[in-house]
């Protein structure tokens, strides 16, 4: 039996299934009328997951590939008939969504331009450009996709819930060899080709754990479209900008990698 | 969705051999399988209700029956009862059934959200819903469509942007009923409250909303205030 506060939080998550850790702390504070940190948030998620088990739903978390912040998503733990029968998208919209997913996972940058998404409507029957724009807005609104500076990418919610579908769309899609989570936004070792998240390899100070070569930089010369590390460093910081791992601090806070002791903690 | 041996392997004649046999493997498996399947069916029904509730669409009994293989008239009652208990215990939703015969359900939210936790109820669509329901109520239960479009227009909601919402979505969600005025040329519609509005909102709530719009305390709405009071008393008596 859930407490009133747990019910309130679950109701919130039904409408906004994807929340950042900071959001979740605010939600906790709103419901319990006091600040909740670390352990209390973990306990909350654990207790909610116990409550959600009979419905085959669950709250999972993952670090965002853009800014390495932790995000939580209420997702379906099974491929349910209920979800199949109640798709929020029309067949044409779903065609567009599948195309977007395929473009995203087949790219190194893990993104596709929103303009390309809209133009793709020419290849989808019963989808005008206006429809495509509306569909894209729907995808953003329902927290499956993110858009930043004209580039569309997958949210943590999509990564958590749609992984089987993503892997089907591109055979080459792999997990990061360091944290073993799916790497959609990835960099490859110039020597052995192993794939990693930027944050993961930065944390290992650019030393490839597979072939032990040290990379000169995160910049991948073979894909000119990729934003280089020096470029991201020079961007002025704003809430939506990625938090760039600064080598001075020895990399990123929370443990993606268990392979090397983190001298910043 | 794979199922282990969904066939009913039950031997219909409990022969002496079966009864004396210890732990026949398929007999042992079978009750456990049924429980797993039932739990899975309950989970599917719970999810179906939750997803439909986000769109505020009513759930039809027939659609639930067709949802997963294995749902039958026999286990339907059990499954619905379990789903109902779960939805109340965990989410605070009351499962409400309209009309025993045709059998459709909606979820009624019993949870009061804290003010600083934003919620779906604050959406523009909900505002338009309340405005429409108020207009109908203030018009003694029935209002012509043109008056509704005018009202929305004055308040900044362009009718052409919201016509589909009101005449299509709200009707499907059972919030309002529309009927074409006979012999109207061009055809015009009347709006009345739908059955979902009747059980989800009290007249007092709608009146309080209208009072804010008109800047007039609810008690000054005369006959309408009396209607709202009567409804309250009737609810308390139940």
């Amino acid at each position: 039996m859930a407490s009133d506060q747990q019910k309130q939080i679950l109701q919130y998550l039904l409408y906004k299934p994807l929340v950042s850790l900071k959001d979740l702390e605010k939600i906790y504070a709103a419901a319990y009328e006091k600040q909740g940190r670390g352990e209390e948030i973990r306990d909350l998620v654990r207790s909610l997951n116990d409550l959600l088990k009979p419905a085959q739903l669950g709250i999972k978390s993952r670090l965002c590939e853009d800014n390495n912040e932790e995000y939580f998503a209420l997702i379906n733990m099974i491929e349910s008939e209920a979800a199949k029968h109640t798709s929020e998208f029309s067949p044409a919209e779903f065609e567009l969504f599948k195309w977007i997913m395929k473009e995203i996972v087949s790219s190194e940058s893990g993104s596709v331009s929103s303009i390309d998404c809209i133009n793709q409507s020419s290849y989808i029957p019963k989808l005008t450009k206006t429809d495509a724009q509306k569909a894209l807005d729907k995808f953003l609104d329902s927290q499956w996709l993110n858009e930043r500076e004209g580039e569309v990418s997958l949210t943590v919610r999509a990564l958590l819930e749609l992984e089987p579908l993503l892997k089907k769309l591109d055979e080459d899609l792999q997990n990061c060899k360091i944290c073993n989570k799916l790497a959609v936004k990835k960099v490859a070792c110039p020597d052995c080709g192993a794939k990693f998240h930027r944050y993961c390899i930065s944390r290992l100070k650019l030393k490839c754990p597979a072939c032990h070569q040290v990379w000169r930089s995160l910049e991948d010369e073979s894909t000119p479209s990729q934003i280089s590390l020096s470029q991201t460093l020079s961007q002025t910081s704003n809430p939506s900008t990625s938090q760039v791992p600064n080598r001075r601090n020895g990399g990123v806070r929370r443990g993606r990698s268990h392979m090397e002791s983190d001298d910043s903690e | 969705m794979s199922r282990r041996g969904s066939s009913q392997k039950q031997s219909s004649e409990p022969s002496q051999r079966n009864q004396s046999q210890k732990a026949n493997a398929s007999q042992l498996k079978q009750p456990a399988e049924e429980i797993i399947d039932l739990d899975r069916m309950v989970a599917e029904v719970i999810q179906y209700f939750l997803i439909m509730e986000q769109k505020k669409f009513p759930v039809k009994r027939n659609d639930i029956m067709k949802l997963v293989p294995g749902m039958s008239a026999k286990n339907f009652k059990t499954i619905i009862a379990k789903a109902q208990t779960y939805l109340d215990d965990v989410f605070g939703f009351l499962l409400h059934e309209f009309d025993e015969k045709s059998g459709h359900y909606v979820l009624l939210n019993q949870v009061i959200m804290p003010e600083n936790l934003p919620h779906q109820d604050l959406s523009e669509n909900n505002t338009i819903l309340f405005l429409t329901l108020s207009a109908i109520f203030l018009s003694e239960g029935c209002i012509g469509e043109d008056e509704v479009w005018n009202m929305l227009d004055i308040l900044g909601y362009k009718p052409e942007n919201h016509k589909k919402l009101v005449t299509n979505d709200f009707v499907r969600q059972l919030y309002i009923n529309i009927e074409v005025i006979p012999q109207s040329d061009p055809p015009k519609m009347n709006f009345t409250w739908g059955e979902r509005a009747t059980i989800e909102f009290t007249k007092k709530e709608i009146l309080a909303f209208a009072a804010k719009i008109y800047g007039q305390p609810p008690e000054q709405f005369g006959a309408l205030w009396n209607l709202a009071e009567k409804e309250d008393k009737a609810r308390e008596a139940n």
Side-chain angles (χ1 to χ4, degrees):
Chain A
M1 172 98 193
S3 68
D4 282 346
Q5 293 88 347
Q6 286 170 325
K7 287 182 186 176
Q8 288 166 356
I9 295 175
L10 285 174
Q11 291 252 358
Y12 182 91
L13 290 173
L14 281 178
Y15 297 111
K16 284 275 165 244
L18 178 65
V19 293
S20 68
L21 176 57
K22 291 202 188 83
D23 290 335
L24 193 51
E25 287 169 353
K26 285 194 209 141
I27 292 165
Y28 183 99
Y32 288 96
E33 292 175 344
K34 61 177 168 118
Q35 288 298 96
R37 290 269 140 79
E39 260 321 292
E40 282 147 323
I41 302 292
R42 306 288 150 196
D43 285 343
L44 172 70
V45 174
R46 245 190 306 265
S47 64
L48 292 178
N49 275 330
D50 285 339
L51 290 167
L52 290 169
K53 271 215 181 70
Q56 297 287 354
L57 299 170
I59 300 170
K60 297 284 163 205
S61 82
R62 182 154 307 172
L63 300 183
C64 171
E65 288 176 322
D66 281 320
N67 58 18
N68 219 50
E69 283 178 21
E70 190 173 10
Y71 280 79
F72 296 81
L74 174 63
I75 64 169
N76 212 326
M77 304 299 283
I78 52 172
E79 289 187 41
S80 69
E81 297 297 313
K84 270 190 234 155
H85 280 87
T86 53
S87 174
E88 44 194 304
F89 306 136
S90 71
E93 287 172 336
F94 192 63
E95 278 303 304
L96 180 60
F97 190 68
K98 266 200 294 193
W99 180 85
I100 293 176
M101 280 196 288
K102 188 162 208 300
E103 289 301 299
I104 287 175
V105 296
S106 339
S107 73
E108 289 284 309
S109 63
S111 66
V112 59
S113 87
S114 50
I115 296 172
D116 288 347
C117 296
I118 309 295
N119 288 339
Q120 185 60 18
S121 56
S122 322
Y123 301 97
I124 300 175
K126 295 197 186 160
L127 200 72
T128 65
K129 281 219 163 90
T130 319
D131 292 335
Q133 180 62 66
K134 283 201 188 143
L136 187 56
D137 288 339
K138 253 202 217 179
F139 304 149
L140 295 170
D141 233 19
S142 49
Q143 302 183 306
W144 292 112
L145 300 176
N146 269 331
E147 183 180 348
R148 192 163 76 91
E149 291 170 10
E151 288 291 304
V152 172
S153 57
L154 297 170
T155 59
V156 168
R157 182 189 185 198
L159 291 177
L160 287 169
E161 190 161 339
L162 303 177
E163 178 163 331
L165 182 53
L166 296 173
K167 287 198 154 149
K168 267 191 230 160
L169 288 172
D170 188 318
E171 285 172 359
D172 295 329
L173 199 59
Q174 296 167 27
N175 290 354
C176 165
K177 296 266 180 303
I178 295 171
C179 69
N180 205 31
K181 304 280 194 297
L182 195 63
V184 173
K185 299 196 176 201
K186 53 226 174 218
V187 290
C189 175
D191 293 297
C192 72
K195 304 265 178 20
F196 311 98
H197 291 113
R198 298 180 152 269
Y199 284 94
C200 292
I201 195 69
S202 300
R203 218 158 166 267
L204 295 192
K205 301 178 170 115
L206 302 190
K207 180 176 179 184
C208 177
C211 68
H212 305 294
Q213 294 300 313
V214 179
W215 306 2
R216 273 173 299 135
S217 79
L218 269 178
E219 191 162 349
D220 186 350
E221 286 105 10
S222 62
T223 50
S225 60
Q226 198 170 16
I227 300 173
S228 70
L229 180 58
S230 52
Q231 266 180 283
T232 43
L233 271 172
S234 65
Q235 276 173 5
T236 52
S237 66
N238 64 61
S240 63
T241 306
S242 308
Q243 284 168 8
V244 175
N246 189 322
R247 297 197 76 188
R248 196 160 29 96
N249 293 338
V252 177
R253 16 171 240 277
R254 265 172 284 254
R256 264 195 187 276
S257 158
H258 303 289
M259 291 179 63
E260 235 178 66
S261 62
D262 190 336
D263 53 334
S264 71
E265 267 160 3
Chain B
M1 194 169 56
S2 64
R3 290 182 185 274
R4 290 195 324 255
S6 53
S7 57
Q8 304 281 316
K9 281 219 194 106
Q10 212 168 19
S11 55
S12 45
E13 318 95 65
S15 70
Q16 283 213 325
R17 190 155 57 93
N18 277 347
Q19 280 170 344
S20 60
Q21 245 173 20
K22 295 248 173 83
N24 176 314
S26 70
Q27 275 187 339
L28 249 192
K29 238 201 258 165
Q30 198 228 321
E33 269 182 3
E34 273 186 18
I35 292 170
I36 290 173
D37 282 5
L38 195 72
D39 283 347
R40 172 59 178 255
M41 285 195 267
V42 173
E44 292 277 1
V45 170
I46 290 169
Q47 284 198 12
Y48 191 66
F49 273 120
L50 288 175
I51 297 172
M52 293 297 267
E53 167 55 21
Q54 281 174 265
K55 307 184 207 191
K56 299 285 188 204
F57 287 153
V59 170
K60 300 193 192 115
R61 188 188 291 158
N62 280 344
D63 290 339
I64 300 177
M65 297 282 290
K66 288 188 268 173
L67 191 62
V68 281
M71 296 246 354
S72 65
K74 240 200 307 178
N75 55 27
F76 182 82
K77 265 202 177 148
T78 317
I79 292 173
I80 286 287
K82 284 182 188 250
Q84 180 171 26
T85 307
Y86 178 85
L87 287 165
D88 190 13
D89 282 352
V90 173
F91 283 91
F93 281 122
L94 216 60
L95 185 64
H96 178 95
E97 182 177 9
F98 295 107
D99 190 350
E100 269 286 330
K101 262 189 286 167
S102 67
H104 51 288
Y105 307 84
V106 294
L107 295 184
L108 294 178
N109 192 357
Q110 308 285 293
V111 174
I112 301 171
M113 297 293 273
E115 275 189 15
N116 44 356
L117 207 54
H119 195 228
Q120 195 204 39
D121 287 348
L122 305 175
S123 68
E124 181 184 73
N125 286 358
N126 229 56
T127 306
I128 294 176
L129 175 65
F130 264 65
L131 286 170
T132 309
L133 291 176
S134 301
I136 299 172
F137 181 54
L138 292 173
S139 209
E140 290 174 19
C142 183
I143 192 173
E145 62 172 291
D146 287 337
E147 283 187 63
V148 174
W149 307 139
N150 282 340
M151 170 200 65
L152 290 177
D153 204 5
I154 293 171
L155 292 170
Y157 299 104
K158 287 209 154 65
E160 56 265 24
N161 293 344
H162 303 290
K163 266 204 175 140
K164 179 173 173 289
L165 176 70
V166 176
T167 60
N168 200 314
D169 296 358
F170 289 167
V171 173
R172 187 168 169 195
Q173 293 165 343
L174 307 181
Y175 281 121
I176 65 171
N177 286 331
I178 52 176
E179 60 178 31
V180 182
I181 301 170
Q183 294 163 351
S184 55
D185 187 26
K188 290 283 176 189
M189 298 181 282
N190 275 338
F191 298 152
T192 52
W193 273 36
E195 54 185 346
R196 177 163 193 163
T198 312
I199 52 148
E200 190 169 332
F201 307 119
T202 63
K203 293 187 165 68
K204 277 252 171 94
E205 269 180 274
I206 298 294
L207 199 55
F209 181 80
K212 265 195 246 165
I213 307 273
Y214 287 91
Q216 180 182 317
E219 298 83 356
Q220 289 185 17
F221 278 78
L224 297 170
W225 171 251
N226 294 339
L227 266 174
E229 290 255 275
K230 239 171 95 180
E231 184 191 68
D232 266 7
K233 293 208 170 80
R235 274 175 204 243
E236 273 166 45
N238 280 347

